[in-house]
Amino acid sequence: MACSIVQFCSFQDLQAARDFLFPQLREETPGALRRDPSKTSNWEDDSWGAWEDTEPQEPEEEGNTSKTQKNSWLQECVLSLSPTSDLMIIAREQKAAFLVPKWKHSDKGKEEMQFAVGWSGSVSAEEGEYVTSALCIPLASQKRSSTGRPDWTCIVVGFTSGYVRFYTESGVLLLAQLLNEDKVLQLKCRTYEIPRHPGVTEQNEELSILYPAAIVTIDGFSLFQSLRACRNQVAKAAASGNENIQPPPLAYKKWGLQDIDTIVDHASVGIMTLSPFDQMKTASNIGGFNAAIKSSPPAMSQYITVGSSPFTGFFYALEGSTQPLLSHVALAVASKLTSALFSAASGWLGWKSKHEEETVQKQKPKMEPATPLAVRFGLPDSRRHGESICLSPCHTLAAVTDDFGRVILLDVARGIAIRMWKGYRDAQVGWIQIVEDLHERVPEKGDFSPFGNAQGPSRVAQFLVIYAPRRGILEVWNTQQGPRVGAFNVGKHCRLLYPGYKIMGLNNVTSQSWQPQTYQICLVDPVSASVKAVNVPFHLALSDKKSERAKDLHLVKKLAALLRAKSPKLDSFEMEIKELILDIKYPATKKQALESILASDRLSFSCLRNVTQTLMDTLKNQELESVDEGLLQFCANKLKLLHLYESVSQLNTLDFHSDTPFSDNDLAVLLRLDDKELLKLRALLEKYKQENSKATVRFSEDADGVLPVRTFLEYLEYEKDALSIRKVGDEEYVALGSFFFWKCLHGESSTEDMCHTLESAGLSPQQLLSLLLSVWLSKEKDILDKPQSVCCLHAMLSLLSKMKVAIDETWDSQSVSPWWQQMRMACIQSENNGAALLSAHVGHCVAAQMSSSATDKKFSQMVLDADAEALTDSWEALSLDTEYWKLLLRQLEDCLILQTLLHSKASTPAAKASSPQTDPLPRLSVKKLLEGGRGGIADSVAKWIFKQDLSPELLKCANKERDIENPDEPREDLLRLAYEQFPCSLELDVLHAHCCWEYVVQWNKDPEEARFLVRSIEHLKHILNPHVQNGIALMMWNTFLVKRFSAATYLMDKVGKSPKDRLCRRDVGMSDTALTAFLGSCLDLLQTSLEADISRDEVQVPVLDTEDAWLAVEGPISIVELALEQKPIHYPLVEHHSILCSILYASMRFSLKSVKPLALFDSKGKNAFFKDLTSIQLLPSGEMDPNFISVRQQFLLKVVSAAVQAQHSKDRDPSAEAADTHCKDLNWPSLAVDLAHHLQVSEDVIRRHYVGELYNHGADLLGEEAIFQVQDKEVLASQLLVLTGQRLAHALFHTQTKEGMELLARLPPTLCTWLKAMNPQDLQNTGVPIAATAKLVHKVMELLPERHGQYSLALHLIDAVEAMATL
């Protein structure tokens, strides 16, 4: 055991804190400014408000900001860590960051403590003041139920303005004190500690503040009470804002230090009492020969300062020579603060605004004068300037650093330097105090000292820790004249933190019950962003030439080096190890050496056994009084384990082969199955082997049932003469079981001998059964390939069951045996269902055999006693245990079939599979299915259907009877088998409901996969029961769709057209193409809900059943049960949403412009949107405003025009074609007519417009069919007449042929003028043949009445068309 430096904490994002305190050190490149979001998620942007206030830095050259500057930034900061490690402050100039610890998982998966910023900002209240010193003081809890942790931690900060401010962990200012006008140089604290023995003076708690020419000490009890009162006031002010409670005043003393040039640091030693001799010597030096002394020595407070002239000064203040000053703390809430309250020390709370603080602090309060205190003596050295002083924990020594690169050790009581270290420029020092562990003492012959036995007092050792940043080394020295006991290379940019205090607020009563976990010294490394603690064992204080412990440690190190030797010579190697371990004196060290030998993987088994046996024999030959019982027992236990390892290894290496042939008939007899049952079992296992593509886990070290002796010793241990297995992982457990049983299961080792060996070693039958089953269940692939292993398992299980403590003979026959329950639980929890099913069959058979034999014994006794009632009881007991086995076999068979289905793959893989569909499915176990709820089975199959992307029609076909002419593929055959095995859990409606939910969940993870949502709606439509259909649709809408639907509505209403891709991704979370498909799916879902609501009253609510084998399922409620709990929808409200969805879908589908969807509805209609579909809302009714109707009509006409154009345009939009692949295009004209009905728009207007658009695009045949649906054919004829004129005008005026001009000249003037007024540019299709136009004119003539004003014009058009047809 040597010195060690161990990391006990790390920083979550130290670089961000550096960038906050040193803006000039931020990374210049844009890439560096982007931090990992996982690391910065806990940093609140608001708390870094000071970043925005800083002026932008000019870009510097790369050479100016070197790597050294970026790593040494911590040396320029004020740093303090609470002794309880629950708060850290890093401050520089006017800024500070408070870091709090959090437990998080590291990269290795272990939990570790990380410091993260809890608060940050500016702490300065006056202009130009900087932070000079800081402390984190934990305050004790006054609750009786406290566990030893502090109640809270106070942050004390000193400034160049002379102010000392106190903050909470969240950065709330509690109080501010101005005790001297000079700047604060140093803050130090002393807390209460129990005196080690009665001669030590009890020290009071205090906070000492050093100024350039004064020291102020604040009484700890007074400070503790004031801080608690201030903190309570903060809580009350935050709650009510009008409370004002005066806390007790602060009691402090102020000493003016004289006869010294400069002071840099100080140490408050505390109250000391001189001995009578020192009292008389001091009186003679001060008062001369005739000086008188008091009968009792006076108590004095000792202060030591470092600086210059003198280099070290010693001050003594007599207790009672001056009365403590009282600082009146003024508390005020910001809302009531109108003026500052000033007193001798003028303290106040800081809830003020910045302007109010400046106004108050401009008025400097009156300072109390300091009591003069002259230097008693010092160490004068005019050229030497002290830099820091660090007092030892027991206040007897102090370490001082100077500008010459020296570290000087002072004797505080005598005031002299007793040791000096050279070559430590800019050194940082601290102390470690170690208390001896009484249990490590070993009595020796002739040792009559009080420390020679465990009853003596604990000794205390002090070690000095020196960190030399120039060399990047951390050293640990034994004081006062001892050697260096440890050295570590730690880097050149660290900070050594030594608080020198613990928890404030304890006394001689409370401190005895408290044992707080505090550190003494730690090292903060900004490069690795870690905090490390230094551990020093006590025995290093005894490291001299006569120390037996040091000699033992040397032997242990020599042994470790020997074990690491590359090519040991076996004979001499073993002898050398024996000599080394026998030379070690201390039993604890000897045990440590033996453990290292047994843990070595380079030593042979014989060497380990011989070394352990030699040590055992040596201990037995010693006197009984001098032998350590623990070491003797340890050796005996290890020898037992080594003998067990040797016996098992010998059994595994014997050439043992069973000559008994094994046939299917033997297997049927063994498992008590008939030929039909055995054939079914074989078929199930064969399918399982084919489809189960997942390879079983193989272990390299136990591939042949071999286990290294080192690993064997790690897994097993003896406790109270009983052999037990340590808590190891699953893989290690299987490795140990394979070492014992793998050869036996292969028939290559004697089963009886192995069981006898393990039983005699002390392993319980329950442990052996657990090991056996772990091997069997984990080696499924090998077991299924070798059916003979079933016979070996049967033999092994029979032997284990016949052991003495396996099955208790006195067990109640009416209860279930724990032995068989253990085996059943192992099968239930296993995910290897094939091996579990075989082991359950074997367990069932062995249990039946043992029950039969027990029944036969009872039967023979009952025949003699003629007790028929007992016979009945035995049959009842047999049937009770058998039922559990039958239930387990049925469950395992079901699980095996389901597992086979889930691991089957499609014969032809899908053309396009997304990443969620390629991820493997988790393996199943009976336990998982029992804990998965009533919908767990259907949910598992739904996940498989999603992976395979099977269509709903295929699920329906697989549920029908098998077609002999068209045999199924294996996948459909397995699905049909699952249907037969789970007629209730996989009922079609239930399965479609789970598939529907699985697809929509996967779509929600990636909304770009619109086909998932489309497939989900398809499954929804295939649900036959309207109650289930309505509930699933409502749950989908509320959970996944309505939020995105409302976002899309507001976005489209805001932009007034179909939004671009960027806006869709920003507001809705998907692309514009995916949004179009999404709206189409929403429309399908709403329409399905409406249809389900219509037929809801005609169909009864389904009754959900469960298979008999799965009645004990527990877990979450199933999707179908949730769906049946949903309320019925409000039909008009769903219809209202369906209208809006149709409008949005049309706008996106045809990229319509100048469309604001919500503008088509009045205030009632808008307010009803996005409400719960089961609620009754106030919907529009009655006559609508004509303005709304006009806007709606214009929109519907746009939809019809866009639909016809999309259908008949020659150059279709590729994006529209892509959208059609995701969703089947609707009959838009028919939908527009339906919308017109609901929007109070004339349906005939829409129909006439549709006919006109068809003729406009040259679809005359479709136009003729659509004419029959028009009511007002006269108006339609007038519209078509204009279209005919446009066609003729284009043919006559735009072709410019000679024949056309001659025909134009022959036309009547009225017709000619009318044709010239036509605008052929409105025609979408100008290539319509003249014959189709002639047919159109005749159609118009049929529609126009003879009294119509344009009838004559139509007659002229007929002549003109016939004339053109002859050209």
Side-chain angles (χ1 to χ4, degrees):
M1 290 166 34
C3 286
S4 61
I5 182 167
V6 182
Q7 175 179 331
F8 73 91
C9 188
S10 61
F11 291 93
Q12 185 172 323
D13 196 351
L14 190 60
Q15 183 180 353
R18 184 203 69 181
D19 294 345
F20 170 60
L21 299 172
F22 295 84
Q24 68 275 13
L25 294 182
R26 295 184 196 173
E27 298 289 345
E28 298 286 336
T29 57
L33 290 174
R34 302 190 192 97
R35 296 185 179 88
D36 186 359
S38 63
K39 293 185 178 180
T40 59
S41 59
N42 291 331
W43 294 64
E44 299 180 2
D45 297 337
D46 297 340
S47 61
W48 296 90
W51 285 12
E52 287 79 20
D53 298 336
T54 56
E55 297 181 359
Q57 300 292 325
E58 294 294 331
E60 300 177 354
E61 297 181 1
E62 293 181 3
N64 296 339
T65 309
S66 63
K67 183 178 180 181
T68 304
Q69 290 174 323
K70 291 184 178 181
N71 290 334
S72 62
W73 63 275
L74 203 60
Q75 305 292 342
E76 304 176 28
C77 295
V78 176
L79 187 65
S80 178
L81 176 61
S82 167
T84 54
S85 307
D86 53 4
L87 188 68
M88 178 186 286
I89 177 175
I90 307 176
R92 176 179 177 265
E93 295 181 352
Q94 298 178 341
K95 301 176 184 177
F98 297 172
L99 288 80
V100 294
K102 297 180 179 179
W103 287 98
K104 293 197 172 182
H105 286 281
S106 63
D107 298 336
K108 298 180 180 179
K110 297 182 179 179
E111 280 196 350
E112 66 173 8
M113 191 168 68
Q114 293 185 356
F115 276 110
V117 172
W119 179 89
S120 58
S122 176
V123 292
S124 64
E126 289 193 347
E127 186 177 357
E129 69 172 1
Y130 291 157
V131 177
T132 57
S133 183
L135 287 180
C136 297
I137 304 178
L139 302 182
S141 173
Q142 293 187 329
K143 298 178 181 179
R144 292 184 179 181
S145 61
S146 176
T147 58
R149 296 295 300 170
D151 186 17
W152 63 290
T153 302
C154 178
I155 299 96
V156 188
V157 184
F159 294 87
T160 55
S161 61
Y163 273 98
V164 177
R165 296 188 176 90
F166 300 82
Y167 299 87
T168 65
E169 303 100 324
S170 56
V172 176
L173 178 62
L174 291 179
L175 74 108
Q177 295 291 145
L178 184 60
L179 303 173
N180 199 49
E181 291 186 342
D182 293 328
K183 71 174 182 177
V184 176
L185 295 180
Q186 194 64 259
L187 296 171
K188 291 196 175 180
C189 180
R190 182 174 68 240
T191 55
Y192 179 82
E193 287 192 13
I194 302 175
R196 291 187 54 232
H197 50 81
V200 178
T201 307
E202 197 172 64
Q203 302 294 337
N204 296 325
E205 296 182 322
E206 70 172 18
L207 173 67
S208 59
I209 308 167
L210 178 66
Y211 295 94
I215 287 182
V216 174
T217 61
I218 302 176
D219 178 63
F221 178 77
S222 174
L223 178 62
F224 180 75
Q225 297 297 333
S226 296
L227 290 176
R228 287 186 66 248
C230 292
R231 187 165 177 261
N232 293 338
Q233 176 65 15
V234 167
K236 293 179 180 179
S240 60
N242 56 3
E243 300 252 355
N244 194 354
I245 300 174
Q246 188 72 23
L250 286 178
Y252 71 96
K253 295 180 181 180
K254 186 175 181 181
W255 305 101
L257 307 181
Q258 298 179 343
D259 304 329
I260 189 167
D261 276 3
T262 59
I263 301 175
V264 178
D265 199 359
H266 78 292
S268 176
V269 182
I271 299 175
M272 60 173 294
T273 305
L274 295 175
S275 64
F277 175 80
D278 291 335
Q279 182 187 9
M280 289 186 285
K281 182 185 69 172
T282 304
S284 300
N285 290 335
I286 297 177
F289 179 76
N290 296 319
I293 62 172
K294 296 181 180 180
S295 58
S296 61
M300 297 177 291
S301 295
Q302 183 182 10
Y303 304 99
I304 306 175
T305 62
V306 295
S308 60
S309 301
F311 157 65
T312 304
F314 291 79
F315 297 84
Y316 296 87
L318 286 175
E319 286 295 308
S321 61
T322 178
Q323 292 296 323
L325 304 172
L326 294 181
S327 166
H328 300 286
V329 182
L331 287 170
V333 184
S335 61
K336 300 181 66 179
L337 182 63
T338 56
S339 62
L341 303 176
F342 296 99
S343 65
S346 210
W348 56 83
L349 276 181
W351 289 294
K352 302 170 277 297
S353 64
K354 191 173 182 181
H355 174 71
E356 288 173 338
E357 262 187 7
E358 291 176 355
T359 305
V360 171
Q361 295 185 6
K362 286 178 182 177
Q363 307 173 14
K364 291 290 182 181
K366 178 185 175 182
M367 294 292 106
E368 291 287 344
T371 303
L373 187 65
V375 62
R376 176 74 61 86
F377 61 89
L379 299 180
D381 191 337
S382 59
R383 296 179 55 202
R384 190 183 304 272
H385 296 272
E387 294 181 345
S388 67
I389 181 171
C390 185
L391 192 64
S392 69
C394 61
H395 298 180
T396 58
L397 302 172
V400 180
T401 62
D402 59 27
D403 59 344
F404 287 168
R406 308 289 196 269
V407 177
I408 302 173
L409 188 65
L410 296 181
D411 187 325
V412 171
R414 293 185 292 168
I416 60 173
I418 58 177
R419 191 171 185 181
M420 179 183 290
W421 290 268
K422 298 181 180 180
Y424 293 91
R425 192 172 297 278
D426 300 330
Q428 302 170 27
V429 295
W431 294 86
I432 293 181
Q433 179 172 283
I434 304 298
V435 180
E436 180 187 19
D437 187 359
L438 294 176
H439 298 287
E440 292 185 358
R441 291 186 185 167
V442 178
E444 298 180 2
K445 294 181 179 180
D447 187 3
F448 300 103
S449 67
F451 303 105
N453 54 69
Q455 283 71 33
S458 296
R459 294 174 288 184
V460 176
Q462 292 186 130
F463 297 91
L464 179 64
V465 181
I466 306 176
Y467 169 56
R470 296 288 184 96
R471 293 187 289 158
I473 189 172
L474 183 78
E475 297 180 346
V476 182
W477 289 83
N478 193 352
T479 54
Q480 301 176 17
Q481 302 297 331
R484 188 178 76 172
V485 297
F488 309 95
N489 292 318
V490 294
K492 299 182 178 181
H493 309 293
C494 304
R495 283 286 297 273
L496 189 68
L497 299 182
Y498 172 69
Y501 58 91
K502 293 183 180 178
I503 297 179
M504 180 174 283
L506 300 179
N507 52 41
N508 57 351
V509 177
T510 57
S511 59
Q512 293 179 0
S513 61
W514 274 49
Q515 294 182 350
Q517 296 294 327
T518 58
Y519 75 93
Q520 294 191 56
I521 194 169
C522 68
L523 189 76
V524 180
D525 187 355
V527 178
S528 62
S530 61
V531 183
K532 303 173 183 177
V534 182
N535 297 326
V536 183
F538 175 82
H539 66 80
L540 292 181
L542 312 173
S543 297
D544 52 15
K545 295 181 180 179
K546 296 181 181 180
S547 172
E548 294 290 346
R549 178 63 61 85
K551 181 182 176 182
D552 283 356
L553 289 178
H554 173 71
L555 293 175
V556 170
K557 291 181 180 178
K558 187 176 179 181
L559 177 63
L562 187 64
L563 294 176
R564 290 194 299 267
K566 293 185 178 179
S567 56
K569 297 180 181 179
L570 297 179
D571 298 335
S572 60
F573 191 61
E574 183 177 329
M575 290 301 301
E576 194 169 352
I577 290 176
K578 290 180 181 178
E579 291 175 1
L580 286 174
I581 196 169
L582 293 177
D583 287 343
I584 297 174
K585 301 296 182 184
Y586 279 76
T589 314
K590 191 169 290 190
K591 180 181 178 182
Q592 178 187 353
L594 182 58
E595 287 176 344
S596 63
I597 293 172
L598 295 175
S600 175
D601 55 355
R602 311 191 63 193
L603 300 180
S604 64
F605 169 78
S606 60
C607 180
L608 296 178
R609 182 190 57 195
N610 295 338
V611 170
T612 310
Q613 187 66 52
T614 302
L615 179 58
M616 182 77 175
D617 296 340
T618 305
L619 291 174
K620 288 183 177 180
N621 293 331
Q622 293 179 358
E623 296 180 8
L624 188 61
E625 297 179 354
S626 61
V627 175
D628 185 81
E629 289 294 334
L631 180 60
L632 187 64
Q633 187 65 38
F634 180 77
C635 293
N637 292 340
K638 293 300 178 183
L639 274 177
K640 289 180 183 178
L641 291 177
L642 290 172
H643 288 317
L644 175 61
Y645 180 84
E646 184 179 20
S647 301
V648 174
S649 299
Q650 289 177 356
L651 289 175
N652 286 337
T653 54
L654 292 176
D655 189 10
F656 178 87
H657 291 285
S658 177
D659 299 330
T660 306
F662 190 77
S663 63
D664 290 348
N665 188 32
D666 296 334
L667 183 61
V669 172
L670 190 68
L671 298 182
R672 296 190 173 190
L673 300 174
D674 55 26
D675 294 341
K676 185 178 180 181
E677 291 173 338
L678 181 63
L679 190 62
K680 179 183 177 182
L681 178 62
R682 279 188 173 278
L684 287 177
L685 292 176
E686 193 62 34
K687 289 181 180 178
Y688 178 73
K689 283 172 57 178
Q690 292 176 359
E691 301 294 347
N692 190 10
S693 58
K694 182 178 179 181
T696 54
V697 180
R698 297 298 300 269
F699 306 98
S700 58
E701 61 181 14
D702 69 323
D704 298 322
V706 178
L707 190 70
V709 61
R710 167 193 172 187
T711 311
F712 179 80
L713 295 175
E714 289 177 358
Y715 292 169
L716 295 173
E717 65 177 350
Y718 268 96
E719 289 183 358
K720 298 179 181 179
D721 296 332
L723 186 59
S724 62
I725 304 172
R726 298 178 188 267
K727 290 184 178 180
V728 295
D730 294 339
E731 295 182 4
E732 291 82 1
Y733 203 76
V734 172
L736 181 61
S738 299
F739 177 63
F740 288 151
F741 299 119
W742 188 238
K743 294 286 186 180
C744 296
L745 290 175
H746 273 259
E748 299 174 4
S749 179
S750 173
T751 305
E752 295 182 3
D753 294 343
M754 182 65 71
C755 288
H756 178 71
T757 301
L758 296 176
E759 184 182 12
S760 60
L763 279 168
S764 67
Q766 286 76 14
Q767 291 177 330
L768 294 177
L769 177 63
S770 179
L771 286 170
L772 175 63
L773 292 176
S774 68
V775 177
W776 178 270
L777 296 174
S778 65
K779 306 256 183 206
E780 183 182 62
K781 186 176 181 181
D782 297 324
I783 288 168
L784 294 179
D785 290 339
K786 191 173 183 181
Q788 190 176 357
S789 58
V790 177
C791 180
C792 301
L793 176 65
H794 188 280
M796 181 71 70
L797 190 59
S798 300
L799 290 172
L800 293 180
S801 302
K802 293 176 182 177
M803 289 185 180
K804 291 183 179 180
V805 293
I807 301 177
D808 192 354
E809 295 179 357
T810 61
W811 187 257
D812 183 11
S813 60
Q814 300 296 325
S815 303
V816 180
S817 170
W819 172 260
W820 299 120
Q821 185 63 22
Q822 177 188 353
M823 184 173 182
R824 285 193 291 266
M825 285 304 299
C827 296
I828 286 173
Q829 295 174 359
S830 175
E831 295 179 354
N832 296 319
N833 299 289
L837 181 60
L838 284 176
S839 62
H841 274 290
V842 173
H844 182 208
C845 295
V846 175
Q849 287 178 1
M850 297 191 70
S851 298
S852 299
S853 61
T855 304
D856 292 341
K857 291 180 181 179
K858 284 188 177 183
F859 183 75
S860 61
Q861 184 179 0
M862 284 184 291
V863 169
L864 295 175
D865 298 342
D867 189 353
E869 187 178 355
L871 180 62
T872 308
D873 292 342
S874 67
W875 280 107
E876 288 178 359
L878 177 62
S879 106
L880 175 65
D881 204 40
T882 305
E883 284 302 316
Y884 276 103
W885 281 113
K886 289 181 178 179
L887 176 64
L888 176 63
L889 289 172
R890 175 64 190 275
Q891 290 174 340
L892 285 171
E893 184 179 327
D894 291 352
C895 195
L896 181 73
I897 292 172
L898 201 58
Q899 182 72 68
T900 307
L901 173 68
L902 299 190
H903 281 277
S904 64
K905 295 182 179 179
S907 55
T908 55
K912 180 183 178 183
S914 61
S915 56
Q917 291 178 304
T918 57
D919 297 336
L921 287 170
R923 295 183 65 85
L924 295 178
S925 67
V926 174
K927 181 182 178 182
K928 287 183 179 179
L929 292 180
L930 288 173
E931 295 176 351
R934 297 180 66 178
I937 297 172
D939 186 62
S940 302
V941 177
K943 285 181 169 57
W944 173 77
I945 290 171
F946 169 75
K947 302 292 181 186
Q948 303 293 326
D949 201 16
L950 301 181
S951 65
E953 289 78 11
L954 183 61
L955 302 183
K956 188 176 180 181
C957 293
N959 198 30
K960 296 178 181 179
E961 294 295 329
R962 180 181 300 184
D963 191 355
I964 301 177
E965 298 180 359
N966 300 317
D968 297 332
E969 61 175 80
R971 184 177 57 177
E972 294 184 21
D973 191 28
L974 289 172
L975 187 58
R976 178 177 287 107
L977 186 60
Y979 282 149
E980 295 173 357
Q981 204 75 12
F982 300 97
C984 300
S985 298
L986 295 183
E987 196 267 329
L988 266 183
D989 273 4
V990 175
L991 186 57
H992 280 304
H994 281 271
C995 291
C996 173
W997 194 258
E998 178 66 24
Y999 271 103
V1000 76
V1001 166
Q1002 296 297 336
W1003 168 83
N1004 189 56
K1005 294 178 182 178
D1006 184 10
E1008 293 301 310
E1009 293 286 351
R1011 58 194 180 92
F1012 289 168
L1013 185 57
V1014 173
R1015 184 56 64 87
S1016 176
I1017 303 297
E1018 290 179 11
H1019 280 286
L1020 178 66
K1021 292 179 179 179
H1022 276 77
I1023 298 176
L1024 301 178
N1025 192 284
H1027 298 275
V1028 179
Q1029 197 176 41
N1030 172 78
I1032 295 292
L1034 193 59
M1035 290 163 56
M1036 288 174 60
W1037 176 262
N1038 292 331
T1039 308
F1040 302 107
L1041 304 183
V1042 67
K1043 193 173 181 180
R1044 295 182 190 271
F1045 182 69
S1046 62
T1049 304
Y1050 291 128
L1051 174 62
M1052 294 174 66
D1053 195 67
K1054 180 180 178 181
V1055 299
K1057 59 180 180 179
S1058 58
K1060 297 292 181 63
D1061 185 78
R1062 179 182 61 83
L1063 294 177
C1064 293
R1065 293 182 185 275
R1066 184 194 68 184
D1067 289 10
V1068 191
M1070 62 182 77
S1071 63
D1072 54 350
T1073 306
L1075 178 59
T1076 305
F1078 166 72
L1079 292 173
S1081 297
C1082 287
L1083 182 59
D1084 282 346
L1085 182 134
L1086 293 173
Q1087 293 293 338
T1088 305
S1089 280
L1090 293 173
E1091 295 171 4
D1093 189 65
I1094 294 173
S1095 56
R1096 182 185 178 91
D1097 296 334
E1098 302 174 359
V1099 182
Q1100 293 182 351
V1101 178
V1103 178
L1104 301 179
D1105 293 328
T1106 307
E1107 291 79 12
D1108 294 340
W1110 301 98
L1111 291 175
V1113 291
E1114 297 177 352
I1117 188 170
S1118 69
I1119 295 295
V1120 179
E1121 289 174 320
L1122 283 174
L1124 294 176
E1125 291 178 0
Q1126 303 300 313
K1127 297 178 182 178
I1129 62 170
H1130 184 48
Y1131 190 93
L1133 184 59
V1134 177
E1135 195 174 43
H1136 189 57
H1137 280 81
S1138 176
I1139 294 170
L1140 176 63
C1141 189
S1142 301
I1143 294 172
L1144 297 178
Y1145 185 32
S1147 301
M1148 286 298 299
R1149 173 65 180 81
F1150 302 117
S1151 302
L1152 300 182
K1153 296 181 180 180
S1154 302
V1155 176
K1156 288 183 174 291
L1158 295 180
L1160 302 179
F1161 300 91
D1162 58 5
S1163 58
K1164 290 182 182 179
K1166 293 178 183 177
N1167 293 334
F1169 285 130
F1170 319 125
K1171 299 291 174 51
D1172 186 6
L1173 297 182
T1174 61
S1175 62
I1176 299 177
Q1177 301 292 330
L1178 189 61
L1179 297 174
S1181 60
E1183 293 294 329
M1184 184 62 64
D1185 187 348
N1187 294 327
F1188 279 107
I1189 295 178
S1190 175
V1191 175
R1192 291 174 175 180
Q1193 180 174 312
Q1194 293 299 322
F1195 169 76
L1196 293 177
L1197 295 180
K1198 282 184 181 180
V1199 172
V1200 172
S1201 299
V1204 175
Q1205 182 179 2
Q1207 186 176 3
H1208 300 285
S1209 178
K1210 294 180 180 179
D1211 47 348
R1212 293 192 63 186
D1213 187 7
S1215 64
E1217 294 180 0
D1220 288 345
T1221 61
H1222 291 301
C1223 53
K1224 296 178 289 185
D1225 213 348
L1226 300 174
N1227 185 357
W1228 286 103
S1230 176
L1231 180 62
V1233 173
D1234 291 340
L1235 286 177
H1237 172 71
H1238 291 99
L1239 295 175
Q1240 300 185 12
V1241 177
S1242 173
E1243 301 171 34
D1244 208 47
V1245 174
I1246 307 303
R1247 293 192 181 100
R1248 291 200 301 268
H1249 184 73
Y1250 175 52
V1251 173
E1253 286 296 320
L1254 287 175
Y1255 278 107
N1256 196 10
H1257 285 80
D1260 290 17
L1261 294 177
L1262 294 176
E1264 290 181 15
E1265 296 178 3
I1267 289 176
F1268 295 106
Q1269 299 178 359
V1270 178
Q1271 302 283 341
D1272 193 347
K1273 293 184 172 52
E1274 186 175 338
V1275 178
L1276 176 63
S1278 300
Q1279 294 173 350
L1280 295 179
L1281 192 65
V1282 174
L1283 193 137
T1284 307
Q1286 291 173 348
R1287 288 186 180 182
L1288 291 178
H1290 180 272
L1292 293 174
F1293 297 113
H1294 290 271
T1295 54
Q1296 296 291 331
T1297 60
K1298 180 179 178 183
E1299 292 82 1
M1301 291 300 103
E1302 292 177 354
L1303 176 61
L1304 186 61
R1306 293 198 301 269
L1307 291 178
T1310 307
L1311 180 59
C1312 188
T1313 305
W1314 184 76
L1315 288 174
K1316 288 180 179 179
M1318 295 293 104
N1319 185 11
Q1321 293 181 355
D1322 295 338
L1323 286 175
Q1324 298 295 329
N1325 187 358
T1326 57
V1328 181
I1330 195 64
T1333 305
K1335 192 174 182 181
L1336 174 60
V1337 175
H1338 285 287
K1339 192 68 177 176
V1340 171
M1341 285 293 298
E1342 294 177 7
L1343 300 177
L1344 279 177
E1346 295 183 1
R1347 301 186 305 276
H1348 198 275
Q1350 294 179 326
Y1351 189 80
S1352 59
L1353 185 62
L1355 290 174
H1356 293 306
L1357 279 174
I1358 290 178
D1359 297 336
V1361 170
E1362 291 177 352
M1364 290 181 65
T1366 58
L1367 293 179

